Amino acid sequence: VIFGLRQKSKGGKLGSVPVHPPSRIMQMGPSAADPKGMVSSEGQVVLSNTPLIAPMSGKPCIAYEIEIVQEYEYYEQTDQGTQTRTKSETSMKEHKGSIFQLSDGQGGVFVDAQTPVDGPMAQSFRHRMDIGMRIPGQLQFGQAVFNTPLLATEGPVKAVIGTERILEPAAKMFVLGQIGQGPMGAQIGEPKGMLSGKLMLSPKGREALLGATKRNMMIGLIAGGAFMFIGAILGVVGALAGGDEDSSNTAANAAESGVGAQPGAVPGVQPGVVDPTAAAAAAAAAAPAAAAAAA
């Protein structure tokens, strides 16, 4: 449901934010945006003379994310004895982006993608390095070399996995963000504010992205509603089953403690069966009363 609502918000933003060619935004500046400073555009990506290079794969990109994850074993006590489990822990995660130009052939506007973006990050590199008894001082993943991070102390580390994802430059890119003034002129970047979202980038184009967002919204809301309905039914069934079990336990406890038995019945003795101990105690208690009545 949360995913569906987020897609709905994204679709609303795509439909309401004004769209202008890059050259027009460069000419108009902030007046091309809506009252919140939001604007969108579509054009060809033009990288700088020194483009950003992804460290592991060596590919030129708009932005990249790298992550190093440790896999280690630990031991857990269960009903079947000591079991060996595997766990993952992120040792390092980094995002780096660039400033590029979006052009329509007549002019361009700059885009600041240095902060994490809302865009398709494709996996460009992944390597698993098994760790034996000897811990290496450095880890090499593709063209990148890293110092070995602090290893997990919960158990022996068995492998370290390096993954790289990049946002590739496309022949045509759609951009939605907040306009501002950069060192080289008008610049579209991440919206300001905690709930304003991220800079939106997509090689699909505005119409294709809007259609995909609406489809994801419907899938998220329908699937979320279905799971909530099923969960509610299971909750009711579980509550009824638990209530019946509690009633059975209460009845059993009452029978054991004598609650609800016939008056004069002795706990733990079946009706119609005389308890010799109880009979002797009753006779001893009644003897003084009988003597007083006779006097």
Side-chain angles (χ1 to χ4, degrees):
V1 171
I2 292 173
F3 171 77
L5 293 175
R6 290 181 64 181
Q7 293 298 305
K8 181 180 179 181
S9 175
K10 183 176 179 179
K13 187 183 295 185
L14 284 167
S16 62
V17 171
V19 187
H20 298 291
S23 58
R24 184 171 176 81
I25 296 175
M26 196 67 178
Q27 294 170 2
M28 296 177 63
S31 61
D34 65 7
K36 295 182 179 179
M38 302 294 290
V39 69
S40 61
S41 186
E42 194 169 342
Q44 182 180 1
V45 173
V46 180
L47 300 179
S48 67
N49 294 329
T50 55
L52 181 65
I53 302 298
M56 293 183 181
S57 64
K59 295 181 179 180
C61 59
I62 293 173
Y64 69 79
E65 291 178 352
I66 56 174
E67 184 179 27
I68 296 178
V69 175
Q70 300 180 35
E71 280 189 2
Y72 63 91
E73 292 181 346
Y74 69 100
Y75 305 101
E76 184 178 53
Q77 293 294 332
T78 65
D79 296 338
Q80 288 77 32
T82 303
Q83 300 289 326
T84 303
R85 309 291 189 192
T86 302
K87 203 171 184 179
S88 298
E89 179 180 297
T90 300
S91 301
M92 189 194 76
K93 193 170 185 178
E94 179 185 65
H95 169 91
K96 190 170 183 179
S98 63
I99 297 177
F100 65 95
Q101 192 178 35
L102 199 68
S103 175
D104 58 6
Q106 299 178 0
V109 62
F110 290 95
V111 180
D112 184 359
Q114 296 181 95
T115 56
V117 300
D118 180 0
M121 305 290 285
Q123 182 173 295
S124 52
F125 183 88
R126 188 178 188 276
H127 177 65
R128 176 189 176 93
M129 182 182 296
D130 293 327
I131 302 295
M133 297 298 294
R134 183 182 176 186
I135 307 298
Q138 290 183 323
L139 304 174
Q140 182 168 0
F141 296 105
Q143 301 180 20
V145 178
F146 304 90
N147 291 328
T148 302
L150 292 176
L151 300 180
T153 58
E154 195 173 344
V157 176
K158 295 300 181 181
V160 181
I161 303 169
T163 306
E164 176 191 271
R165 299 178 182 86
I166 63 173
L167 180 60
E168 298 178 291
K172 199 172 185 180
M173 182 74 71
F174 172 77
V175 176
L176 188 152
Q178 191 172 48
I179 193 167
Q181 190 67 24
M184 294 172 285
Q187 181 173 284
I188 302 175
E190 183 182 51
K192 303 296 186 289
M194 294 182 61
L195 302 178
S196 300
K198 301 176 180 179
L199 174 69
M200 201 180 300
L201 299 173
S202 174
K204 295 180 178 180
R206 180 177 179 274
E207 296 303 321
L209 181 60
L210 188 58
T213 302
K214 288 182 178 180
R215 182 179 66 252
N216 292 338
M217 177 194 70
M218 295 299 297
I219 293 174
L221 293 178
I222 292 173
F227 280 121
M228 289 177 66
F229 179 72
I230 294 172
I233 293 177
L234 293 176
V236 171
V237 172
L240 294 176
D244 293 342
E245 184 178 350
D246 292 342
S247 300
S248 301
N249 292 337
T250 302
N253 293 335
E256 291 178 1
S257 60
V259 177
Q262 297 179 359
V266 180
V269 179
Q270 298 179 2
V273 178
V274 178
D275 186 357
T277 304

